[in-house]
Amino acid sequence: MRNQRIIWWIAILLVAGALYIISYFVWFTSAHEEEGTIMIILKSNSPQSDFWQTVRSGAEEAAKEKGVQFLVSGPLDDTDINSQLNALQDALTLKPRAVVIAPLNDQRVLNGITRLQNAHIPVVVMDTPLPVNNAPSSVSSDHVQMGMQAGRMAAYQTNSAPYVAIIGDYQSSSIFKAREQGIKQVLGAVANSHTTTYYSGESEQLAYVLTTKLLDEYPRPNALIVMNEPIAVGAARALKERHMDSMMFIAFDSSFYEIELLEEKTLDALIVQKPFNMGYLAVQKVLTDSNSLSSQHSITMIPSTVITPTTMYTPENQKLLFPFYEK
């Protein structure tokens, strides 16, 4: 019996030692591999987000072409600041070859990016340049240009007498500010133009209420420009209830619901980004320029496209409205 116990304890010690050795080498190898890995941190990694899944597809394609490993993370909801903060902390711990991030609008996220830079980890920002000193290089849609495109459409369709209502998401949004700047830059040069700005956050219902009130105003706006999908859906509901086909209606991006509104001609125009290009060029930049990113700030702007009900079926626009990516 005593010999059996000794043999049993020896066996346990041998197994424990083997597990320790295996876990050590797995940890060591993983840590070593992370040094050659790119971390891609999205605003939203939800399978339901067509836009961010297309960004992801472009980023992964660039990484595969360069033959580098990559890790993709991001919150399922683009309001989940803590998930993105955790991803930044992981990057600081793992010390990957580089980080590509589409940061959420929060000072803590900006602080996390600064800590990566201080740790000499190359960073490239997607979606919008950061309004901070020593900002990382960025790859972004040209949001001012997008606003200018919307402004031109409004001026043209209202015979150079646009009375434009703009419904944005949040006053603090840098993307909204850039688009509004572009709209007003164009319309400010039109003699008989007038613009008013409202905010509805991410609320479809508030957008519906705001649009309903606008339709009761006198004089009534003859053009409506909205900044995101929930606003577009809420505003469209109000316009359809009142049969307001005469009001010029312009929105940004290309969600499933917005494409439906364009197809049924409730929307007169969509200003569409190129998310695949954004992800692809961001990874290319962080790999190609990684040695100079810490000392050289550069901004790559990606032009957008105006799509109307009459142009939505061209091959080029179909690729933008229905991008291919693996779900």
Side-chain angles (χ1 to χ4, degrees):
M1 179 68 71
R2 181 181 176 85
N3 289 338
Q4 286 180 341
R5 287 182 180 177
I6 292 173
I7 293 171
W8 176 250
W9 281 110
I10 290 173
I12 291 174
L13 291 172
L14 288 173
V15 170
L19 288 174
Y20 174 81
I21 292 169
I22 290 170
S23 64
Y24 173 81
F25 280 107
V26 167
W27 178 87
F28 180 82
T29 304
S30 298
H32 179 72
E33 287 175 353
E34 293 299 345
E35 294 177 0
T37 298
I38 295 176
M39 292 189 69
I40 301 164
I41 305 174
L42 304 175
K43 279 187 177 178
S44 170
N45 199 23
S46 169
Q48 304 306 315
S49 173
D50 289 350
F51 182 87
W52 288 110
Q53 288 300 314
T54 306
V55 172
R56 172 177 180 158
S57 182
E60 290 180 354
E61 181 66 23
K64 290 173 184 176
E65 286 183 4
K66 294 290 186 179
V68 299
Q69 294 180 316
F70 55 87
L71 295 172
V72 182
S73 65
L76 292 177
D77 188 323
D78 62 9
T79 62
D80 184 0
I81 303 292
N82 288 332
S83 288
Q84 197 166 77
L85 292 173
N86 290 338
L88 285 166
Q89 184 57 48
D90 289 343
L92 196 62
T93 302
L94 295 172
K95 293 184 170 50
R97 175 174 176 177
V99 172
V100 173
I101 181 172
L104 293 171
N105 186 23
D106 189 280
Q107 185 60 47
R108 292 170 296 171
V109 174
L110 301 186
N111 294 341
I113 292 172
T114 299
R115 284 193 290 271
L116 292 180
Q117 291 178 287
N118 292 339
H120 306 292
I121 298 172
V123 178
V124 163
V125 168
M126 293 187 292
D127 198 33
T128 183
L130 297 181
V132 295
N133 294 328
N134 193 31
S137 291
S138 61
V139 175
S140 170
S141 296
D142 191 336
H143 295 289
V144 173
Q145 182 225 15
M146 294 178 75
M148 292 177 71
Q149 288 172 317
R152 291 190 193 103
M153 285 292 295
Y156 176 74
Q157 294 293 336
T158 58
N159 298 316
S160 297
Y163 179 19
V164 179
I166 303 168
I167 304 182
D169 44 12
Y170 301 101
Q171 193 169 6
S172 61
S173 166
S174 58
I175 291 176
F176 167 74
K177 288 178 182 177
R179 291 176 180 176
E180 183 186 39
Q181 176 188 334
I183 294 168
K184 291 186 174 181
Q185 186 173 325
V186 168
L187 297 181
V190 178
N192 298 314
S193 71
H194 178 78
T195 61
T196 307
T197 301
Y198 306 87
Y199 301 95
S200 68
E202 302 286 338
S203 172
E204 177 184 327
Q205 180 60 24
L206 183 53
Y208 168 80
V209 172
L210 280 172
T211 305
T212 301
K213 289 181 178 179
L214 287 170
L215 296 177
D216 291 330
E217 284 186 357
Y218 183 83
R220 176 192 297 149
N222 57 15
L224 177 63
I225 302 176
V226 302
M227 292 294 159
N228 62 30
E229 177 195 334
I231 301 175
V233 174
R237 181 155 56 95
L239 292 172
K240 287 194 280 188
E241 283 182 2
R242 301 286 285 272
H243 305 287
M244 288 300 301
D245 297 335
S246 60
M247 180 178 283
M248 182 70 182
F249 186 22
I250 302 169
F252 293 87
D253 301 327
S254 56
S255 72
F256 172 78
Y257 295 107
E258 287 175 312
I259 293 168
E260 277 194 339
L261 293 172
L262 188 69
E263 191 170 32
E264 67 187 28
K265 298 184 180 179
T266 300
L267 265 173
D268 296 286
L270 275 176
I271 315 299
V272 179
Q273 301 184 68
K274 298 174 181 175
F276 184 94
N277 297 31
M278 185 189 302
Y280 185 90
L281 292 174
V283 169
Q284 273 205 331
K285 178 184 283 288
V286 83
L287 290 175
T288 304
D289 304 336
S290 60
N291 292 330
S292 60
L293 286 176
S294 59
S295 59
Q296 182 177 344
H297 171 64
S298 66
I299 300 175
T300 300
M301 289 292 192
I302 303 172
S304 53
T305 298
V306 179
I307 300 180
T308 67
T310 57
T311 64
M312 68 181 295
Y313 297 108
T314 66
E316 295 81 6
N317 289 342
Q318 285 285 289
K319 288 179 182 178
L320 288 175
L321 292 175
F322 303 100
F324 172 79
Y325 59 86
E326 295 180 2
K327 290 206 182 241

